[in-house]
Amino acid sequence: MTIHIARLDSRALIRVSGPDARPFLHNLLTQDVETLAASELRFGALLSPPGRLLFDLFLRGEADGVLLDVAADRRDAVAQRLTIYKLRAQVTVEPDDAPIFACWPEVAEGFTPDPRAPGLGGRRYGGEGETNATEADYQRHRLAAGVPDPATDAPSDKTYPIEANFDLLNGIDFQKGCFVGQETTSRMKRRGSIKNRMLPLAFDGPPPPFGTEVLNGELRAGEVLGGIDGAVIALLRLDRLEGALTVDGRPVKVRWPGWMPR
């Protein structure tokens, strides 16, 4: 089996170091940071106080802190947000310009398994290394796995993390206790009041524009998010998936990922 390796220029790194780095991040993020082992990779998010998704991120354990893998065009905003919360914590927040690589469908030597779902492959930080694929190839692989990219599919402060499937992609630790936005997130999970989720749609032709309505007959069933020819992620109402779905008059079909319970 060929293992594909691509450099992800759409992602960038922030290094959070210092004596208080782990407890500082642990109290902010949806993921458990206190138990994060060196070289271990976890997936999580920073939410707004009302519980909406601001930034998705990967966390890699380091000897002196944590490396955050974030959207490149949001790196400054993430760092600024962390600095606002820093107060008197002994923490240094600084950019790290090491490159980010992804491999798939297997985990190549030197890569750490992607914690979100089986088959996504792995990630590596730093070094040069040879690539045999492009970032566009990786995005096609991600879409084939039905995994959203919150950086493109979830406008900041508009989407709840559970709507973006963070609870199913190992992005929320519900046992860790408090984090920013925890009350709303835990209540949605506890009550099962999840009306919308991001799901992949299959169709023929180019992707509809972001925000295009998905219809079930004449009823609004959701909206198109990011995607490529033949495949997009859409935020869909779970109670309106039965029947014929269309987008701009084109028939579309929900393609349930294997990792998502129905």
Side-chain angles (χ1 to χ4, degrees):
M1 177 184 292
T2 300
I3 297 180
H4 304 285
I5 298 176
R7 178 168 170 159
L8 305 183
D9 290 325
S10 68
R11 307 292 296 186
L13 298 172
I14 296 173
R15 184 173 295 276
V16 182
S17 58
D20 298 334
R22 286 175 180 266
F24 168 69
L25 291 175
H26 186 82
N27 291 330
L28 295 178
L29 305 181
T30 61
Q31 188 55 259
D32 186 331
V33 188
E34 295 280 18
T35 63
L36 181 68
S39 300
E40 182 183 1
L41 192 63
R42 292 180 179 175
F43 180 56
L46 177 60
L47 309 181
S48 66
R52 292 187 175 89
L53 181 61
L54 293 179
F55 310 106
D56 72 292
L57 43 83
F58 292 86
L59 307 89
R60 186 180 191 272
E62 301 279 303
D64 61 343
V66 179
L67 201 60
L68 302 180
D69 168 349
V70 303
D73 61 357
R74 298 184 182 182
R75 178 167 69 173
D76 290 348
V78 176
Q80 182 179 25
R81 192 83 177 191
L82 293 177
T83 301
I84 289 173
Y85 283 116
K86 191 169 72 168
L87 300 177
R88 296 182 180 178
Q90 298 182 60
V91 171
T92 300
V93 178
E94 57 190 348
D96 186 310
D97 292 327
I100 300 173
F101 297 90
C103 70
W104 72 94
E106 302 294 332
V107 180
E109 184 177 354
F111 283 72
T112 304
D114 190 312
R116 293 174 293 176
L120 277 179
R123 293 171 98 86
R124 192 188 79 210
Y125 304 105
E128 291 303 322
E130 294 186 4
T131 61
N132 58 3
T134 66
E135 181 162 358
D137 295 328
Y138 173 74
Q139 300 302 347
R140 279 190 286 272
H141 170 68
R142 175 186 60 78
L143 281 165
V147 175
D149 177 5
T152 58
D153 296 330
S156 183
D157 209 9
K158 300 291 185 182
T159 306
Y160 291 106
I162 289 179
E163 293 179 328
N165 304 323
F166 273 69
D167 57 324
L168 304 178
L169 294 169
N170 301 310
I172 304 172
D173 188 325
F174 289 99
Q175 308 302 318
K176 60 162 284 189
C178 292
F179 54 86
V180 176
Q182 182 261 347
E183 184 178 351
T184 301
T185 305
S186 296
R187 185 169 63 246
M188 287 181 69
K189 187 68 170 179
R190 185 173 64 251
R191 294 181 178 177
S193 56
I194 304 166
K195 299 178 180 179
N196 306 289
R197 279 201 184 270
M198 290 185 184
L199 290 163
L201 291 179
F203 53 89
D204 293 326
F210 191 100
T212 303
E213 280 191 329
V214 181
L215 296 177
N216 185 332
E218 296 183 355
L219 298 176
R220 190 179 191 278
E223 64 177 323
V224 169
L225 305 174
I228 58 175
D229 287 1
V232 296
I233 296 294
L235 182 62
L236 299 174
R237 283 187 50 160
L238 298 179
D239 62 347
R240 291 185 178 172
L241 299 184
E242 296 297 327
L245 300 180
T246 61
V247 175
D248 278 346
R250 284 188 284 170
V252 297
K253 184 177 181 180
V254 176
R255 187 172 48 79
W256 287 87
W259 49 264
M260 177 179 282
R262 299 183 63 169

